[in-house]
Amino acid sequence: MPQDFAQAIESWHEFYIMTGTAAATLVGLLFVAVTVNVNLLRGSEGHHRRIWARYTFQNFLYVLLVSLVFVMPDQGPLGLALPLLAMGAFALIGAWRLLRDAQAVPKAPDSDFIRQRMVREALYSGGSYVILLIVSVFLLQGQPQQLYWLAAAVLVLLLVGASSAWRLLVTLVEAGRSDLEES
């Protein structure tokens, strides 16, 4: 059984190399976008944008961490499932916090749009983290048959993160444009 488990995990090696690479690249691009627009993230007016940027970063970071766990050599059920369980639990708490923070977005010209985006991202990513937790339980039992569900969850996280990063960048550009028009 342990050899079959290791072979099942090994068959996902290239997939997680690719998702980890994509997540790392997108984290870098997010850093560039935030750095270029850092003045729009400062103060109370930028509070909701900071939360949005932080959560987008966290989604990419969790994809990267899941990928790193999968590419470790000779993974057994405990070595794979326990880190995934811990990540899933922490990430689910983060999704709940994003939902809570979305309700407290202060009034600003872009606040309704940002609130809707934050809620949508919290729900999509929260669902992905629930799948991560469920698959982790199967992995603890030495049953890697559910890994396709985890792959789907990771892909959703990448898509949600990429969409979020793009919309955040567009929102920052529009906010910067309105700041220029006001001055």
Side-chain angles (χ1 to χ4, degrees), residues 40-120:
L40 298 171
L41 298 170
R42 292 190 173 128
S44 61
E45 290 180 6
H47 177 73
H48 54 290
R49 296 182 198 123
R50 281 193 309 274
I51 292 169
W52 189 9
R54 181 182 67 229
Y55 193 73
T56 301
F57 169 76
Q58 288 174 351
N59 276 343
F60 288 142
L61 187 61
Y62 281 119
V63 170
L64 180 58
L65 291 173
V66 167
S67 298
L68 288 172
V69 169
F70 264 88
V71 298
M72 288 181 189
D74 302 321
Q75 278 286 27
L78 275 177
L80 185 62
L82 290 180
L84 295 178
L85 269 172
M87 282 185 258
F90 283 115
L92 199 55
I93 291 168
W96 175 80
R97 285 183 179 155
L98 183 63
L99 274 174
R100 184 193 64 203
D101 290 343
Q103 303 310 312
V105 170
K107 263 304 193 204
D110 57 358
S111 62
D112 288 337
F113 171 76
I114 289 176
R115 182 180 300 106
Q116 291 170 355
R117 292 296 301 189
M118 290 167 72
V119 167
R120 187 176 313 147

Coordinates of all heavy atoms in Angstrom, one line a residue, residues 40-120:
L40 N -1.9 54.1 -3.3 CA -3.4 53.9 -3.3 C -3.8 52.9 -2.2 O -5.0 52.6 -2.0 CB -3.8 53.4 -4.6 CG -3.6 54.5 -5.8 CD1 -3.9 53.9 -7.1 CD2 -4.4 55.7 -5.5
L41 N -2.8 52.3 -1.5 CA -3.1 51.3 -0.5 C -2.9 51.9 0.9 O -3.2 51.2 1.9 CB -2.2 50.1 -0.6 CG -2.3 49.3 -2.0 CD1 -1.2 48.3 -2.1 CD2 -3.7 48.6 -2.0
R42 N -2.5 53.1 1.0 CA -2.2 53.7 2.3 C -3.4 54.3 2.9 O -4.4 54.7 2.2 CB -1.1 54.8 2.1 CG 0.2 54.2 1.7 CD 1.3 55.3 1.8 NE 2.6 54.7 1.6 CZ 3.5 55.1 0.7 NH1 3.2 56.1 0.0 NH2 4.6 54.5 0.6
G43 N -3.4 54.5 4.2 CA -4.4 55.2 4.9 C -5.8 54.5 4.9 O -5.9 53.3 4.5
S44 N -6.7 55.2 5.5 CA -8.1 54.5 5.6 C -8.7 54.3 4.3 O -9.5 53.4 4.1 CB -9.0 55.4 6.5 OG -9.2 56.6 6.0
E45 N -8.5 55.1 3.3 CA -9.1 55.0 2.0 C -8.6 53.7 1.3 O -9.3 53.2 0.4 CB -8.8 56.2 1.1 CG -9.6 57.4 1.6 CD -9.3 58.6 0.7 OE1 -8.6 58.5 -0.4 OE2 -9.8 59.7 1.0
G46 N -7.4 53.3 1.6 CA -6.8 52.1 0.9 C -7.0 50.8 1.7 O -6.5 49.8 1.3
H47 N -7.6 50.9 2.9 CA -7.7 49.8 3.8 C -8.4 48.6 3.1 O -7.8 47.4 3.1 CB -8.6 50.1 5.0 CG -8.8 49.0 6.0 ND1 -7.8 48.5 6.7 CD2 -9.9 48.2 6.2 CE1 -8.2 47.5 7.4 NE2 -9.5 47.3 7.1
H48 N -9.5 48.7 2.4 CA -10.1 47.6 1.8 C -9.3 47.1 0.6 O -9.3 45.9 0.3 CB -11.5 48.0 1.3 CG -11.6 49.2 0.4 ND1 -11.3 50.5 0.9 CD2 -11.9 49.3 -0.9 CE1 -11.5 51.3 -0.1 NE2 -11.8 50.7 -1.2
R49 N -8.5 47.9 -0.1 CA -7.7 47.5 -1.1 C -6.5 46.6 -0.6 O -6.1 45.6 -1.2 CB -7.1 48.6 -1.9 CG -8.2 49.4 -2.7 CD -7.6 50.5 -3.5 NE -8.6 51.5 -3.8 CZ -8.6 52.8 -3.5 NH1 -7.5 53.3 -2.9 NH2 -9.6 53.6 -3.9
R50 N -6.0 47.0 0.6 CA -4.9 46.3 1.3 C -5.4 44.9 1.6 O -4.7 43.9 1.4 CB -4.4 47.0 2.5 CG -3.5 48.1 2.3 CD -2.8 48.6 3.5 NE -3.7 48.8 4.7 CZ -4.3 50.0 4.9 NH1 -4.1 51.0 4.0 NH2 -5.1 50.2 5.9
I51 N -6.6 44.8 2.2 CA -7.2 43.5 2.5 C -7.4 42.6 1.3 O -7.0 41.4 1.3 CB -8.6 43.7 3.2 CG1 -8.4 44.3 4.6 CG2 -9.3 42.3 3.4 CD1 -9.7 44.8 5.2
W52 N -7.9 43.2 0.2 CA -8.0 42.5 -1.0 C -6.7 42.0 -1.5 O -6.6 40.8 -1.9 CB -8.7 43.4 -2.0 CG -9.2 42.8 -3.3 CD1 -9.2 41.5 -3.6 CD2 -9.7 43.5 -4.4 NE1 -9.7 41.3 -4.9 CE2 -10.0 42.5 -5.4 CE3 -9.9 44.8 -4.7 CZ2 -10.5 42.9 -6.7 CZ3 -10.4 45.2 -5.9 CH2 -10.7 44.2 -6.9
A53 N -5.7 42.8 -1.6 CA -4.4 42.5 -2.0 C -3.8 41.3 -1.2 O -3.2 40.4 -1.7 CB -3.4 43.7 -2.1
R54 N -3.9 41.5 0.2 CA -3.4 40.5 1.1 C -4.0 39.1 0.9 O -3.3 38.1 0.8 CB -3.6 40.9 2.5 CG -3.0 39.9 3.5 CD -3.2 40.3 5.0 NE -4.6 40.3 5.3 CZ -5.3 41.3 5.9 NH1 -4.7 42.4 6.2 NH2 -6.6 41.1 6.1
Y55 N -5.3 39.1 0.7 CA -6.0 37.8 0.5 C -5.7 37.2 -0.8 O -5.5 36.0 -0.9 CB -7.5 38.0 0.6 CG -8.2 36.7 0.7 CD1 -8.1 36.0 1.9 CD2 -8.9 36.2 -0.3 CE1 -8.7 34.7 2.0 CE2 -9.5 34.9 -0.2 CZ -9.4 34.2 1.0 OH -10.0 33.0 1.1
T56 N -5.5 38.0 -1.9 CA -5.1 37.5 -3.2 C -3.7 36.9 -3.0 O -3.4 35.8 -3.5 CB -5.1 38.6 -4.2 OG1 -6.4 39.2 -4.3 CG2 -4.6 38.1 -5.6
F57 N -2.8 37.5 -2.3 CA -1.5 37.0 -2.1 C -1.6 35.7 -1.3 O -0.9 34.7 -1.7 CB -0.7 38.0 -1.3 CG 0.6 37.5 -0.7 CD1 1.7 37.3 -1.5 CD2 0.7 37.2 0.6 CE1 2.9 36.8 -1.0 CE2 1.9 36.7 1.1 CZ 3.0 36.5 0.3
Q58 N -2.4 35.6 -0.3 CA -2.5 34.4 0.5 C -3.0 33.2 -0.4 O -2.6 32.1 -0.2 CB -3.5 34.6 1.7 CG -2.9 35.5 2.7 CD -3.9 35.8 3.8 OE1 -5.1 35.5 3.7 NE2 -3.4 36.4 4.9
N59 N -4.0 33.5 -1.3 CA -4.4 32.4 -2.1 C -3.3 31.8 -3.0 O -3.1 30.6 -3.1 CB -5.6 32.8 -3.1 CG -6.9 32.8 -2.4 OD1 -7.1 32.1 -1.4 ND2 -7.9 33.5 -2.9
F60 N -2.5 32.7 -3.6 CA -1.3 32.2 -4.3 C -0.3 31.5 -3.5 O 0.2 30.5 -3.9 CB -0.6 33.4 -5.0 CG -1.4 34.0 -6.2 CD1 -1.4 35.4 -6.4 CD2 -2.1 33.2 -7.1 CE1 -2.1 36.0 -7.4 CE2 -2.8 33.8 -8.1 CZ -2.8 35.2 -8.3
L61 N -0.1 32.0 -2.2 CA 0.8 31.4 -1.3 C 0.4 30.0 -1.0 O 1.2 29.0 -0.9 CB 1.0 32.2 -0.1 CG 2.0 31.8 0.9 CD1 3.4 31.8 0.3 CD2 2.0 32.7 2.1
Y62 N -0.9 29.8 -0.7 CA -1.4 28.4 -0.4 C -1.3 27.5 -1.6 O -0.9 26.3 -1.4 CB -2.9 28.5 0.1 CG -3.0 28.9 1.5 CD1 -3.7 30.0 1.9 CD2 -2.3 28.2 2.5 CE1 -3.7 30.4 3.2 CE2 -2.4 28.6 3.9 CZ -3.1 29.7 4.2 OH -3.2 30.1 5.5
V63 N -1.5 27.9 -2.8 CA -1.3 27.1 -4.0 C 0.2 26.7 -4.0 O 0.6 25.6 -4.3 CB -1.7 27.8 -5.3 CG1 -1.2 27.0 -6.5 CG2 -3.2 28.0 -5.3
L64 N 1.1 27.7 -3.8 CA 2.5 27.4 -3.8 C 2.9 26.4 -2.7 O 3.6 25.4 -3.0 CB 3.3 28.7 -3.6 CG 4.8 28.6 -3.6 CD1 5.3 28.0 -4.9 CD2 5.4 30.0 -3.4
L65 N 2.4 26.6 -1.5 CA 2.7 25.6 -0.4 C 2.1 24.2 -0.7 O 2.8 23.2 -0.4 CB 2.1 26.2 0.9 CG 2.8 27.4 1.4 CD1 2.1 28.0 2.6 CD2 4.3 27.1 1.7
V66 N 0.9 24.1 -1.2 CA 0.4 22.8 -1.6 C 1.3 22.1 -2.6 O 1.6 21.0 -2.5 CB -1.1 22.9 -2.1 CG1 -1.5 21.6 -2.7 CG2 -2.0 23.3 -0.9
S67 N 1.7 22.9 -3.6 CA 2.6 22.4 -4.6 C 3.9 21.9 -4.1 O 4.4 20.9 -4.4 CB 2.8 23.5 -5.7 OG 1.6 23.8 -6.3
L68 N 4.5 22.7 -3.1 CA 5.7 22.3 -2.5 C 5.6 21.0 -1.7 O 6.5 20.1 -1.8 CB 6.3 23.4 -1.6 CG 6.8 24.6 -2.3 CD1 7.1 25.8 -1.3 CD2 8.0 24.3 -3.1
V69 N 4.5 20.8 -1.0 CA 4.3 19.6 -0.3 C 4.2 18.4 -1.2 O 4.8 17.3 -1.0 CB 3.0 19.7 0.6 CG1 2.6 18.4 1.2 CG2 3.2 20.7 1.7
F70 N 3.6 18.6 -2.4 CA 3.4 17.5 -3.3 C 4.7 17.1 -4.0 O 4.8 16.0 -4.5 CB 2.3 17.8 -4.4 CG 1.0 17.2 -4.0 CD1 0.1 18.0 -3.2 CD2 0.6 16.0 -4.4 CE1 -1.1 17.4 -2.9 CE2 -0.6 15.5 -4.1 CZ -1.5 16.2 -3.3
V71 N 5.6 18.0 -4.2 CA 6.8 17.7 -4.9 C 7.9 17.2 -4.0 O 9.0 16.8 -4.5 CB 7.4 18.9 -5.8 CG1 6.3 19.2 -6.9 CG2 7.7 20.1 -5.0
M72 N 7.7 17.1 -2.7 CA 8.7 16.5 -1.8 C 8.8 15.0 -2.1 O 7.8 14.3 -2.4 CB 8.2 16.6 -0.4 CG 8.3 18.0 0.2 SD 7.8 18.0 1.9 CE 7.8 19.8 2.2
P73 N 10.0 14.5 -2.1 CA 10.1 13.1 -2.5 C 9.6 12.1 -1.4 O 9.6 12.4 -0.3 CB 11.6 12.9 -2.7 CG 12.2 14.0 -1.9 CD 11.2 15.1 -1.9
D74 N 9.2 10.9 -1.9 CA 8.8 9.8 -1.0 C 7.7 10.2 0.0 O 7.9 9.9 1.2 CB 10.0 9.2 -0.4 CG 11.0 8.7 -1.4 OD1 10.6 8.2 -2.4 OD2 12.2 8.9 -1.1
Q75 N 6.7 10.8 -0.4 CA 5.6 11.3 0.5 C 4.8 10.1 0.9 O 4.3 9.3 0.1 CB 4.7 12.3 -0.1 CG 5.3 13.7 -0.1 CD 5.2 14.3 1.3 OE1 5.2 13.7 2.3 NE2 5.2 15.6 1.3
G76 N 4.5 10.0 2.2 CA 3.6 9.0 2.8 C 2.3 9.7 3.2 O 2.2 11.0 3.1
P77 N 1.3 9.0 3.6 CA 0.0 9.6 3.9 C 0.1 10.7 5.0 O -0.5 11.7 4.8 CB -0.8 8.4 4.4 CG -0.2 7.2 3.7 CD 1.3 7.5 3.6
L78 N 0.8 10.4 6.1 CA 0.9 11.4 7.1 C 1.7 12.7 6.7 O 1.3 13.8 7.0 CB 1.6 10.9 8.4 CG 0.7 10.1 9.3 CD1 1.5 9.5 10.5 CD2 -0.4 11.0 9.9
G79 N 2.8 12.4 6.0 CA 3.7 13.6 5.6 C 3.0 14.5 4.6 O 3.3 15.6 4.5
L80 N 2.0 13.9 3.8 CA 1.3 14.7 2.9 C 0.0 15.3 3.5 O -0.3 16.5 3.4 CB 0.9 13.8 1.7 CG 0.2 14.5 0.5 CD1 1.1 15.6 -0.1 CD2 -0.2 13.5 -0.6
A81 N -0.7 14.5 4.2 CA -2.1 14.9 4.7 C -2.0 15.9 5.8 O -2.8 16.9 5.8 CB -2.8 13.7 5.2
L82 N -1.1 15.8 6.8 CA -1.0 16.7 7.9 C -0.7 18.1 7.5 O -1.4 19.0 7.9 CB -0.1 16.2 9.0 CG -0.5 14.9 9.7 CD1 0.5 14.5 10.8 CD2 -1.9 15.1 10.4
P83 N 0.3 18.4 6.6 CA 0.5 19.8 6.2 C -0.7 20.3 5.4 O -1.1 21.5 5.6 CB 1.7 19.7 5.3 CG 2.4 18.4 5.7 CD 1.3 17.5 6.2
L84 N -1.3 19.5 4.6 CA -2.5 19.9 3.8 C -3.7 20.2 4.7 O -4.4 21.2 4.5 CB -2.9 18.9 2.8 CG -1.9 18.6 1.7 CD1 -2.4 17.5 0.7 CD2 -1.5 19.9 0.9
L85 N -3.9 19.4 5.8 CA -4.9 19.7 6.8 C -4.7 21.0 7.4 O -5.6 21.8 7.6 CB -5.0 18.6 7.8 CG -5.9 17.4 7.5 CD1 -5.7 16.3 8.6 CD2 -7.4 17.9 7.5
A86 N -3.5 21.3 7.9 CA -3.1 22.5 8.6 C -3.4 23.7 7.6 O -4.0 24.7 8.0 CB -1.7 22.5 9.1
M87 N -2.9 23.6 6.4 CA -3.1 24.7 5.4 C -4.5 24.9 5.2 O -5.0 26.1 5.1 CB -2.4 24.4 4.1 CG -0.9 24.6 4.2 SD -0.2 24.3 2.5 CE 0.5 22.7 2.7
G88 N -5.3 23.9 5.0 CA -6.7 24.0 4.7 C -7.4 24.7 5.8 O -8.3 25.5 5.6
A89 N -7.1 24.3 7.1 CA -7.8 24.9 8.2 C -7.4 26.4 8.3 O -8.3 27.3 8.5 CB -7.3 24.2 9.5
F90 N -6.1 26.8 8.2 CA -5.8 28.2 8.3 C -6.4 29.0 7.1 O -6.8 30.1 7.3 CB -4.2 28.3 8.3 CG -3.6 28.0 9.6 CD1 -2.8 26.9 9.7 CD2 -3.9 28.8 10.7 CE1 -2.2 26.6 11.0 CE2 -3.3 28.5 11.9 CZ -2.4 27.4 12.1
A91 N -6.4 28.4 6.0 CA -6.9 29.1 4.8 C -8.4 29.3 4.9 O -8.9 30.4 4.5 CB -6.6 28.3 3.5
L92 N -9.1 28.3 5.4 CA -10.5 28.5 5.6 C -10.9 29.6 6.6 O -11.8 30.4 6.4 CB -11.1 27.1 6.1 CG -12.6 27.0 5.9 CD1 -13.1 27.2 4.5 CD2 -13.0 25.6 6.3
I93 N -10.0 29.7 7.7 CA -10.2 30.8 8.6 C -10.0 32.1 7.9 O -10.7 33.1 8.1 CB -9.2 30.6 9.8 CG1 -9.7 29.4 10.7 CG2 -9.1 31.9 10.6 CD1 -8.6 29.0 11.7
G94 N -9.0 32.1 7.0 CA -8.7 33.4 6.2 C -9.9 33.7 5.3 O -10.2 34.9 5.2
A95 N -10.5 32.7 4.7 CA -11.7 33.0 3.9 C -12.8 33.5 4.7 O -13.5 34.5 4.3 CB -12.1 31.7 3.1
W96 N -13.0 33.0 5.9 CA -14.1 33.5 6.8 C -13.8 35.0 7.2 O -14.7 35.8 7.2 CB -14.2 32.7 8.0 CG -15.1 33.2 9.0 CD1 -16.5 33.1 9.0 CD2 -14.8 34.0 10.2 NE1 -17.0 33.8 10.1 CE2 -16.0 34.3 10.8 CE3 -13.6 34.5 10.7 CZ2 -16.1 35.1 12.0 CZ3 -13.6 35.2 11.9 CH2 -14.9 35.5 12.5
R97 N -12.5 35.3 7.4 CA -12.1 36.7 7.8 C -12.4 37.6 6.6 O -12.8 38.8 6.8 CB -10.6 36.7 8.2 CG -10.4 36.2 9.5 CD -8.9 36.4 9.9 NE -8.7 35.9 11.2 CZ -7.5 35.4 11.6 NH1 -6.4 35.4 10.8 NH2 -7.4 35.0 12.9
L98 N -12.1 37.1 5.4 CA -12.4 38.0 4.2 C -13.9 38.3 4.1 O -14.2 39.4 3.8 CB -11.9 37.3 2.9 CG -12.0 38.2 1.7 CD1 -11.2 39.5 1.8 CD2 -11.6 37.4 0.5
L99 N -14.7 37.3 4.4 CA -16.1 37.6 4.4 C -16.5 38.6 5.4 O -17.3 39.5 5.2 CB -16.9 36.3 4.6 CG -17.2 35.4 3.5 CD1 -17.9 34.1 3.9 CD2 -18.1 36.1 2.5
R100 N -15.9 38.5 6.6 CA -16.2 39.4 7.7 C -15.7 40.8 7.3 O -16.4 41.8 7.5 CB -15.5 38.9 9.0 CG -15.8 39.8 10.2 CD -14.9 39.5 11.3 NE -13.6 39.8 10.9 CZ -12.5 39.3 11.4 NH1 -12.5 38.4 12.4 NH2 -11.3 39.7 11.0
D101 N -14.5 40.9 6.8 CA -13.9 42.2 6.4 C -14.7 42.8 5.2 O -14.7 44.0 5.2 CB -12.4 42.0 6.0 CG -11.5 41.7 7.2 OD1 -12.0 41.9 8.3 OD2 -10.4 41.2 6.9
A102 N -15.2 42.0 4.4 CA -16.0 42.6 3.2 C -17.2 43.3 3.7 O -17.6 44.3 3.1 CB -16.4 41.4 2.3
Q103 N -17.8 42.9 4.8 CA -18.9 43.6 5.4 C -18.6 44.9 6.0 O -19.4 45.8 6.2 CB -19.6 42.7 6.4 CG -20.1 41.3 5.9 CD -20.8 41.4 4.6 OE1 -21.7 42.2 4.4 NE2 -20.4 40.6 3.6
A104 N -17.3 45.1 6.3 CA -16.9 46.3 7.0 C -16.1 47.3 6.0 O -15.4 48.2 6.5 CB -15.9 46.0 8.2
V105 N -16.2 47.1 4.7 CA -15.6 47.9 3.8 C -16.1 49.4 3.9 O -17.3 49.6 3.9 CB -15.7 47.4 2.3 CG1 -15.3 48.5 1.3 CG2 -15.0 46.1 2.1
P106 N -15.2 50.3 4.2 CA -15.7 51.7 4.4 C -16.3 52.3 3.0 O -15.9 51.8 2.0 CB -14.5 52.5 4.8 CG -13.3 51.7 4.4 CD -13.8 50.2 4.3
K107 N -17.1 53.3 3.2 CA -17.7 53.9 2.0 C -16.6 54.6 1.2 O -15.8 55.4 1.7 CB -18.7 54.9 2.4 CG -20.1 54.4 2.3 CD -20.4 53.9 0.9 CE -21.8 53.6 0.6 NZ -22.0 52.6 -0.4
A108 N -16.5 54.2 -0.1 CA -15.5 54.9 -1.0 C -16.2 54.7 -2.4 O -17.1 53.9 -2.6 CB -14.2 54.2 -0.9
P109 N -15.7 55.4 -3.4 CA -16.3 55.3 -4.7 C -16.3 53.8 -5.3 O -17.2 53.4 -6.0 CB -15.4 56.1 -5.6 CG -14.8 57.1 -4.7 CD -14.6 56.4 -3.4
D110 N -15.3 53.0 -4.9 CA -15.2 51.7 -5.4 C -15.6 50.6 -4.4 O -15.4 49.4 -4.6 CB -13.8 51.4 -6.0 CG -12.7 51.6 -4.9 OD1 -13.0 52.0 -3.8 OD2 -11.5 51.4 -5.2
S111 N -16.1 51.0 -3.3 CA -16.4 50.1 -2.2 C -17.4 49.0 -2.5 O -17.2 47.9 -2.1 CB -16.7 50.8 -0.9 OG -17.9 51.5 -1.1
D112 N -18.5 49.3 -3.2 CA -19.5 48.3 -3.5 C -18.9 47.2 -4.4 O -19.1 46.0 -4.2 CB -20.7 48.9 -4.1 CG -21.5 49.7 -3.2 OD1 -21.4 49.5 -2.0 OD2 -22.3 50.6 -3.6
F113 N -18.1 47.6 -5.4 CA -17.5 46.7 -6.3 C -16.5 45.8 -5.5 O -16.5 44.6 -5.7 CB -16.8 47.4 -7.4 CG -15.9 46.5 -8.3 CD1 -16.5 45.7 -9.2 CD2 -14.5 46.5 -8.1 CE1 -15.7 44.9 -10.0 CE2 -13.8 45.7 -8.9 CZ -14.4 44.8 -9.8
I114 N -15.7 46.4 -4.7 CA -14.7 45.7 -3.9 C -15.3 44.7 -3.0 O -14.9 43.6 -2.8 CB -13.7 46.6 -3.3 CG1 -12.8 47.3 -4.3 CG2 -12.8 45.9 -2.2 CD1 -11.9 48.3 -3.8
R115 N -16.4 45.2 -2.3 CA -17.1 44.3 -1.4 C -17.6 43.0 -2.1 O -17.5 41.9 -1.7 CB -18.3 45.0 -0.7 CG -19.0 44.2 0.3 CD -20.2 44.9 0.9 NE -19.7 46.1 1.7 CZ -19.9 47.4 1.2 NH1 -20.5 47.6 0.1 NH2 -19.5 48.4 1.9
Q116 N -18.2 43.2 -3.3 CA -18.8 42.1 -4.1 C -17.6 41.2 -4.5 O -17.8 39.9 -4.4 CB -19.5 42.6 -5.3 CG -20.8 43.3 -5.0 CD -21.3 44.0 -6.3 OE1 -20.7 44.0 -7.3 NE2 -22.5 44.6 -6.1
R117 N -16.5 41.7 -4.9 CA -15.4 40.9 -5.3 C -14.8 40.1 -4.1 O -14.5 38.9 -4.2 CB -14.2 41.7 -5.9 CG -14.5 42.4 -7.2 CD -14.8 41.4 -8.3 NE -13.6 40.6 -8.5 CZ -13.5 39.7 -9.5 NH1 -14.4 39.7 -10.5 NH2 -12.4 39.0 -9.7
M118 N -14.7 40.7 -3.0 CA -14.2 40.1 -1.8 C -15.1 38.9 -1.4 O -14.6 37.8 -1.0 CB -14.0 41.1 -0.6 CG -12.9 42.0 -0.9 SD -12.9 43.4 0.3 CE -12.4 42.7 1.8
V119 N -16.4 39.1 -1.4 CA -17.3 38.1 -1.0 C -17.2 36.9 -2.0 O -17.2 35.7 -1.6 CB -18.8 38.6 -1.0 CG1 -19.8 37.5 -0.9 CG2 -18.9 39.5 0.2
R120 N -17.2 37.2 -3.3 CA -17.1 36.2 -4.3 C -15.8 35.4 -4.1 O -15.8 34.1 -4.2 CB -17.2 36.8 -5.7 CG -17.2 35.8 -6.8 CD -17.4 36.4 -8.2 NE -18.4 37.4 -8.2 CZ -18.4 38.5 -8.9 NH1 -17.4 38.8 -9.7 NH2 -19.4 39.4 -8.8

